[in-house]
Amino acid sequence: MKKRWVINTPPEWEKIDKLSKELNCSHVIANLLLQRGVDTAEEAHAFFNPTPNMLHDPFLMKDMDRAAGRVNRALADGERIAVFGDYDVDGITATVILVDYLLSRGGDVVHYIPRRIEDGYGLGKDAILSLHDQGVRLLVTVDCGITGVEEVAYANSLGMDVVITDHHECKDKLPLAIAIVDPHKPGDTYPHKNLSGVALAFKLVCALSGNPEEMLREYADMVCLGTVADVIPLVGENRVFVSRGLQALKRTTRPGLAALIKECGC
């Protein structure tokens, strides 16, 4: 059986023709750009040539100041910090970034990644109790936590503070965490909503370090992997992450990534 494309939205030929002439490109390319929200030649040049200056200030995100402040206090006071991730690529790369950065700051850090079958997705009370028994006093989630109302309340009852970084949609009731960093949080005016969990972990380390360019050099490969694997739209900041990440992957010094690349024959 022959298949064919079905275009639900009729092409806007005037806009297509105008952008095509401005960029000296085909109508097909101009139409694809317009479908991705790229309306001007200036936006198109940024789309094709992503640079770090396209990254927004992490502190534009609601609660980022509270999250960074609490983590910095834990580092200064020598508190044990747990990074609670997820078992998919996005969650694992987010965990890697935050754990690695905190260790570079001399932090006392452990991490926890749930098992898909045994533990399921997200925060669990058994895991929280186990981390508490290991001396954890600050729990930071990556790529999960936004729906963990009961679990965060349980952590609080044990004397643990919780900082949530997540990119999933919020429900009506939010957990009572010290800080919730999620661009979908009501009242958040961050310019870019379609970020992955690893991108939010990256934003947190940028806020902690104060040097986004250095963090991009260090972690672009991780942000790239998580962003692509989670099928996040490659627009705005995500294009910077993937563009720089693909370059970094070509010369990676991470043994695990090098082994995977060799095994795949890339």
Side-chain angles (χ1 to χ4, degrees):
M1 177 186 293
K2 290 185 177 180
K3 296 182 180 180
R4 63 176 182 171
W5 289 100
V6 177
I7 301 174
N8 292 322
T9 305
E12 298 181 72
W13 288 112
E14 287 187 11
K15 288 184 177 180
I16 292 171
D17 190 55
K18 181 175 181 294
L19 190 59
S20 173
K21 288 176 180 176
E22 289 176 349
L23 296 175
N24 191 28
C25 67
S26 70
H27 282 172
V28 172
I29 296 297
N31 190 22
L32 288 170
L33 287 168
L34 288 166
Q35 289 180 35
R36 284 156 177 76
V38 179
D39 298 313
T40 66
E42 182 180 1
E43 290 175 350
H45 288 303
F47 185 85
F48 287 123
N49 303 284
T51 58
N53 62 15
M54 293 167 60
L55 299 180
H56 302 295
D57 183 345
F59 288 104
L60 292 176
M61 206 171 295
K62 194 171 184 179
D63 269 12
M64 183 62 83
D65 55 342
R66 292 171 59 87
R70 182 62 183 89
V71 173
N72 273 326
R73 179 155 63 87
L75 289 170
D77 294 347
E79 292 180 273
R80 174 160 286 188
I81 305 169
V83 178
F84 196 109
D86 187 27
Y87 43 69
D88 66 0
V89 178
D90 191 22
I92 291 172
T93 50
T95 304
V96 167
I97 285 178
L98 189 52
V99 169
D100 186 76
Y101 174 78
L102 294 175
L103 288 173
S104 75
R105 289 275 302 272
D108 181 4
V109 188
V110 296
H111 70 275
Y112 188 91
I113 295 177
R115 299 163 296 176
R116 183 187 295 266
I117 303 300
E118 294 87 346
D119 301 319
Y121 170 78
L123 290 168
K125 291 182 179 179
D126 289 345
I128 291 171
L129 179 59
S130 173
L131 292 170
H132 173 268
D133 291 345
Q134 295 173 51
V136 170
R137 291 300 173 264
L138 175 61
L139 178 64
V140 184
T141 74
V142 291
D143 194 30
C144 67
I146 197 64
T147 61
V149 175
E150 291 184 9
E151 291 80 6
V152 171
Y154 179 65
N156 292 339
S157 74
L158 296 175
M160 298 168 67
D161 285 342
V162 181
V163 168
I164 293 172
T165 71
D166 200 351
H167 71 124
H168 296 101
E169 294 287 345
C170 303
K171 293 188 177 180
D172 293 337
K173 187 175 182 180
L174 295 176
L176 293 177
I178 290 290
I180 297 177
V181 178
D182 187 328
H184 299 291
K185 183 180 177 181
D188 195 297
T189 58
Y190 192 74
H192 193 171
K193 300 296 185 184
N194 289 319
L195 293 174
S196 59
V198 68
L200 289 172
F202 174 77
K203 286 290 180 180
L204 177 57
V205 301
C206 287
L208 291 166
S209 73
N211 193 333
E213 176 59 33
E214 181 184 343
M215 295 299 97
L216 192 61
R217 286 195 298 270
E218 186 67 31
Y219 299 120
D221 53 355
M222 293 287 102
V223 191
C224 171
L225 285 176
T227 297
V228 171
D230 230 44
V231 200
I232 305 297
L234 295 187
V235 295
E237 292 183 295
N238 294 326
R239 295 189 69 77
V240 180
F241 298 146
V242 173
S243 174
R244 288 289 292 269
L246 289 173
Q247 296 173 36
L249 285 167
K250 291 180 181 179
R251 55 180 186 276
T252 185
T253 57
R254 301 186 194 275
L257 288 182
L260 285 170
I261 289 169
K262 181 179 179 181
E263 184 67 22
C264 293
C266 297

